[in-house]
Amino acid sequence: MQPPSPPSRVAIIGGGPAGLMAAETLARGGVQVDLFDAMPSVGRKFLLAGRGGLNITHAEPFAAFTKRYGSREDVIAPLLAAFGPAELRAWVETLGVRTFVGSSGRVFPEEMKAAPLLRAWLTRLREAGVRFHVRHRWAGWSVDGHLRFTTPAGEHLHQADATVLALGGGSWARLGSDGAWVPLLGGRGVDVAPLEAANCGFVVTSPRLAAGAGWSEHFRSRFAGQPLKSVAMALQGDEGPMRPGEAMISDDGIEGSLVYALSAAIRERIKAEGRATLLIDLAPGRSLERVQAEVAHPRGARSLASHLQSRVGIAGLRMALLRECLPEAVLADPPRLAAAIKALPLSLVAPRPLDEAISSAGGVRFEELDAGLMIRSVPGVFCAGEMLDWEAPTGGYLLTACLATGHRAGEGVLAWLGRA
């Protein structure tokens, strides 16, 4: 009788949600999992993203959910069909964390925090035999195919039967997602789409400035950091209704959830035309006809600011935006002013730097991968998470797809090893 063969050894590089989900899938499949991360602990970006309330997924219908992945819907949808919003919520509950659906349709853990979920998850993984190696920065492959890591103690070589790369994108480098893996895969002939900022703020160009970008000093000094609530936005030239929500004035532009939802389209418009025009409805509860009537109402001796505040509810930041973005001739012309209140044009000229973005677009192109997310030209090496070439708005879509790709990569490894 031959002795039993040793269990397969799989290395996972990257300790974010995608890597941890791949580790869980593989550990359940009976392989030995070693997970490596460059940081002193795993899940750092996950913890920071959940600091204000961990949005794990969204409760909208599946067909609407998959539309959030834009041009990559065709490749992301099958992954979500296997591990999507419903499966994610059920999985979270197996960790002893109950969830609820907020008024916006976003799904949160009852405690709202990421730390309890991550602690329970890591406990489960350790009990399943997953071994964690922190402060191990991946440096590619040795001549004989071993994985190379730089550590505080020097170089470490590791041999594995298969590898899952879950190295993140290029945003929030201080938490480990620095894109340093791009040249390592490029050196192996893997086609990687350039990393770009997604879910990011944008720099404006103000008519009040003779040249350059950003707000006027008068506006910036008074309103940077202030929220712009209960508005609606759309990208000029796009079809469909404006999106309601809120945004935030930054030092040199605008950011926030509404802007993030439009960021992919804004970024591509800037790349194609040099700038993009964001339209802001400052009075979404009133029709254009009503605003026109109110603005045209005689104001007597009252100032324009007093008139707009009493008739249309325009005051404070809203009034300042009108003065910042409109020439005096428009402010003095009631029909044109009313139209601007319902669709204030804000010229955007550049995204904020990649490292400031919530997430990144670009990454390993899906055309390089098989159905199990293995790189065809590098057998035994799989990819998962944000390092793949997809993007999505905030609202639980990022986390859901990261977990779905980690799940698929884990299953892909098992199938490749003959353990499926």
Side-chain angles (χ1 to χ4, degrees):
M1 179 181 297
Q2 293 183 339
S5 59
S8 299
R9 298 178 61 191
V10 178
I12 296 175
I13 307 176
L20 295 175
M21 180 54 73
E24 180 167 339
T25 304
L26 287 161
R28 284 201 309 263
V31 303
Q32 175 59 60
V33 178
D34 287 273
L35 188 146
F36 300 86
D37 196 274
M39 304 304 288
S41 58
V42 300
R44 291 198 163 200
K45 188 174 179 181
F46 178 68
L47 288 174
L48 185 59
R51 186 171 59 184
L54 179 63
N55 177 201
I56 58 175
T57 192
H58 203 287
E60 68 187 340
F62 186 78
F65 192 99
T66 61
K67 293 291 183 187
R68 305 295 185 175
Y69 298 91
S71 63
R72 286 304 195 183
E73 179 187 5
D74 60 334
V75 291
I76 296 294
L79 308 182
L80 296 174
F83 193 92
E87 291 79 10
L88 194 162
R89 291 188 70 185
W91 170 79
V92 167
E93 304 242 352
T94 67
L95 291 169
V97 177
R98 301 190 62 169
T99 63
F100 72 95
V101 181
S103 58
S104 65
R106 299 185 180 203
V107 180
F108 301 90
E110 278 192 347
E111 294 185 35
M112 296 294 291
K113 298 178 181 178
L117 192 157
L118 182 60
R119 282 196 300 267
W121 195 4
L122 295 179
T123 296
R124 175 190 284 179
L125 292 174
R126 290 189 176 98
E127 290 174 348
V130 176
R131 300 186 296 214
F132 291 86
H133 311 269
V134 296
R135 295 188 174 91
H136 279 61
R137 178 172 292 277
W138 184 51
W141 292 270
S142 66
V143 175
D144 58 0
H146 287 63
L147 295 167
R148 296 177 56 230
F149 296 93
T150 57
T151 78
E155 184 173 77
H156 170 73
L157 299 178
H158 181 82
Q159 184 176 14
D161 299 308
T163 302
V164 177
L165 301 178
L167 290 155
S171 62
W172 297 12
R174 68 189 186 279
L175 301 178
S177 297
D178 57 10
W181 54 268
V182 173
L184 298 177
L185 289 186
R188 296 292 295 267
V190 180
D191 190 10
V192 179
L195 299 180
E196 300 179 283
N199 288 296
C200 61
F202 290 86
V203 178
V204 308
T205 179
S206 169
R208 296 292 177 183
L209 298 180
W215 303 111
S216 67
E217 178 58 26
H218 176 83
F219 183 88
R220 186 203 63 77
S221 64
R222 287 160 176 77
F223 298 103
Q226 288 200 19
L228 181 61
K229 296 185 176 182
S230 301
V231 295
M233 295 183 182
L235 184 59
Q236 187 178 65
D238 282 4
E239 298 180 357
M242 287 190 169
R243 296 171 181 256
E246 61 183 68
M248 178 79 72
I249 301 299
S250 62
D251 277 345
D252 61 1
I254 191 166
E255 58 186 37
S257 58
L258 259 182
V259 179
Y260 301 155
L262 297 167
S263 63
I266 294 171
R267 185 189 67 237
E268 294 307 309
R269 183 72 59 82
I270 292 173
K271 286 165 61 178
E273 302 178 9
R275 67 180 57 213
T277 300
L278 184 66
L279 301 178
I280 309 176
D281 185 349
L282 297 174
R286 294 175 169 87
S287 68
L288 174 59
E289 292 74 19
R290 180 181 172 188
V291 173
Q292 288 173 333
E294 296 290 359
V295 172
H297 192 277
R299 61 184 172 99
R302 288 187 303 177
S303 68
L304 177 62
S306 296
H307 178 64
L308 293 183
Q309 182 171 5
S310 64
R311 305 300 304 189
V312 196
I314 298 293
L317 174 55
R318 282 170 163 76
M319 188 65 221
L321 272 171
L322 291 175
R323 293 194 182 280
E324 182 78 1
C325 298
L326 300 177
E328 291 296 333
V330 175
L331 291 172
D333 185 338
R336 294 166 68 192
L337 176 57
I341 289 172
K342 292 298 294 178
L344 180 67
L346 188 63
S347 183
L348 308 178
V349 293
R352 291 295 302 163
L354 172 58
D355 192 44
E356 296 179 12
I358 291 176
S359 60
S360 58
V364 177
R365 299 184 192 274
F366 281 92
E367 292 76 11
E368 295 285 292
L369 310 172
D370 68 10
L373 302 186
M374 184 176 75
I375 302 175
R376 291 189 176 93
S377 61
V378 191
V381 177
F382 298 72
C383 296
E386 199 180 332
M387 69 181 292
L388 296 173
D389 181 22
W390 62 276
E391 63 180 305
T394 58
Y397 308 106
L398 292 167
L399 179 58
T400 305
C402 280
L403 292 171
T405 59
H407 181 263
R408 174 58 62 87
E411 290 191 327
V413 171
L414 294 174
W416 191 73
L417 295 173
R419 291 177 172 270

